[in-house]
Amino acid sequence: EDPAPKEDPAPKEDPAPKEDPKPEPDELDSVPLPTNVKPKTSEAFEAIKSAARAKIGTLTKETEELRTRLTELEARTKDGGIPPELKKELEELRTFRNRLDVEADPKFKDFDERVKSTTTSIYDKLKQGGASDEVIKKIQDLGGIEAVEWDGLLSKLPTTIRRSIEQKLVDVETLKEDRAKAVEEAKKHASQYIAARSEQTSKQREAARAEAIKHGEELANSTEWMKEKTIPAKATPAEKKAIEAHNKLVADSRLAIKEAASDDSPQMRAALGLGVAELMRVRSEFAAHKEASTAQVDKLTKELKAATDLLERVKKGSTHRLRDTPATADENRPKHSFQESPGDAIDRLAKEAEQGQSA
């Protein structure tokens, strides 16, 4: 028998597509839209939220990476993350710098000044012994007193001068040795030495500031206008206001003096210099204004005196002897208005005086 044909297997049904898992709710989902918005507006809003979620995800990832790197760097630093060779070089540089600071310390310049003074004294003694300026210059050109063979030169000098120079040469050598020992000892403990000098300098600076503040207060107390005033019990409002303004100016000025004395920075020094220049400008302008005001006062005083003299002459010119004739009736007397201006009054009096003189 023919074999029965194989039946085609039943076609497999395609599995239903898996739906993308819904993202977990986040803060953006808590931002609602109004219920009556258009569909396109809702779609655009959802697109914006999706873009924001993507950006937030990127920034969060970068933040985590940076946090991880920071943690690694902190761990390396705690464990001595600096390479040994770099650390060694750093220590050598610090030591070298400390030694340079030691050599540059003004404390050791005292040795140099004493050596210089003693050397000058040796040259003076040589001149007293008859050495010329050319000989002194030749010694200096050779490199100073250390480069000279003194036995032959000293043998030609008087005994007293020779012994004095010999002693001074010993003093110079001793000073140089003492300086070298002091510097070398300081270099052995350079860090401690620099720290001690820094502390000493800080204390000196604080002492100088305190002294400056003290002198500032003394100057303020000796300045008459920088003294506060007491408001009298019967002071008017205007007087009270003026005294309060004066006392405020005094308080602000004293505070400014204290701040300036406490601050020795370059900025404060520049500000003080500018303040002095501003004071000079104000004084110059005040002097010019005072001179102009004085001239104006002198001019007005002269004009007032001239007007007063004219008025006196007018008054004297208007007086005359009483006539024998009876007094004129009131209706015949000239009547004057109280509204008459001073100029019109002077003109009228002058006219009456002229009429009286002609009569």
Side-chain angles (χ1 to χ4, degrees), residues 5-265:
K6 293 182 179 180
E7 297 180 358
D8 294 333
K12 296 181 179 180
E13 296 181 358
D14 295 334
K18 294 182 179 180
E19 296 181 357
D20 295 334
K22 294 183 179 180
E24 296 182 1
D26 54 17
E27 295 180 356
L28 296 176
D29 291 328
S30 62
V31 182
L33 276 175
T35 55
N36 57 348
V37 297
K38 296 180 180 180
K40 290 186 177 181
T41 303
S42 179
E43 293 176 0
F45 186 67
E46 290 298 328
I48 292 174
K49 289 201 294 184
S50 298
R53 288 190 182 96
K55 187 66 175 178
I56 291 173
T58 302
L59 293 176
T60 303
K61 182 179 179 181
E62 292 177 355
T63 302
E64 291 299 329
E65 292 177 354
L66 290 174
R67 185 177 288 109
T68 302
R69 291 179 60 187
L70 179 61
T71 303
E72 293 176 355
L73 290 174
E74 290 178 348
R76 288 179 59 187
T77 304
K78 291 180 180 178
D79 298 337
I82 301 177
E85 61 276 7
L86 182 59
K87 187 175 182 180
K88 181 180 178 181
E89 183 178 357
L90 180 60
E91 291 296 332
E92 291 177 352
L93 289 174
R94 286 176 178 171
T95 303
F96 179 72
R97 178 182 174 181
N98 288 338
R99 291 188 174 185
L100 287 179
D101 290 341
V102 168
E103 292 185 358
D105 193 328
K107 173 183 176 181
F108 300 111
K109 290 185 178 181
D110 178 62
F111 291 98
D112 300 333
E113 292 297 328
R114 292 165 64 185
V115 168
K116 183 178 179 181
S117 176
T118 306
T119 301
T120 302
S121 179
I122 291 174
Y123 291 146
D124 292 339
K125 288 294 182 181
L126 286 174
K127 290 182 180 180
Q128 292 178 14
S132 62
D133 293 338
E134 294 179 356
V135 174
I136 302 299
K137 187 177 184 306
K138 187 174 181 180
I139 293 175
Q140 294 173 343
D141 293 340
L142 289 174
I145 58 176
E146 295 180 349
V148 176
E149 182 61 40
W150 285 99
D151 292 338
L153 183 58
L154 291 176
S155 62
K156 300 177 182 179
L157 298 175
T159 304
T160 305
I161 295 177
R162 183 178 70 250
R163 290 178 179 176
S164 177
I165 292 178
E166 288 175 346
Q167 182 60 47
K168 292 181 183 299
L169 289 172
V170 173
D171 293 341
V172 169
E173 190 65 24
T174 302
L175 286 171
K176 290 184 177 181
E177 290 177 357
D178 291 344
R179 184 188 188 283
K181 290 180 181 179
V183 172
E184 190 61 30
E185 184 65 23
K187 285 182 178 180
K188 290 180 181 179
H189 310 283
S191 300
Q192 296 86 337
Y193 179 83
I194 294 299
R197 290 292 295 172
S198 178
E199 182 180 358
Q200 182 180 1
T201 303
S202 178
K203 290 181 179 179
Q204 291 175 347
R205 188 180 297 112
E206 291 299 327
R209 288 177 180 173
E211 191 70 16
I213 293 174
K214 178 183 176 182
H215 284 298
E217 292 177 352
E218 291 176 353
L219 288 175
N221 293 334
S222 63
T223 304
E224 190 63 29
W225 73 267
M226 293 194 70
K227 296 178 180 179
E228 292 188 352
K229 297 180 180 180
T230 303
I231 301 176
K234 297 182 179 180
T236 63
E239 292 173 343
K240 182 179 179 181
K241 183 178 180 181
I243 294 176
E244 289 176 347
H246 169 80
N247 291 341
K248 184 178 184 304
L249 175 62
V250 170
D252 293 342
S253 300
R254 286 179 175 270
L255 179 61
I257 292 174
K258 185 176 181 180
E259 290 178 350
S262 303
D263 188 354
D264 57 354
S265 65

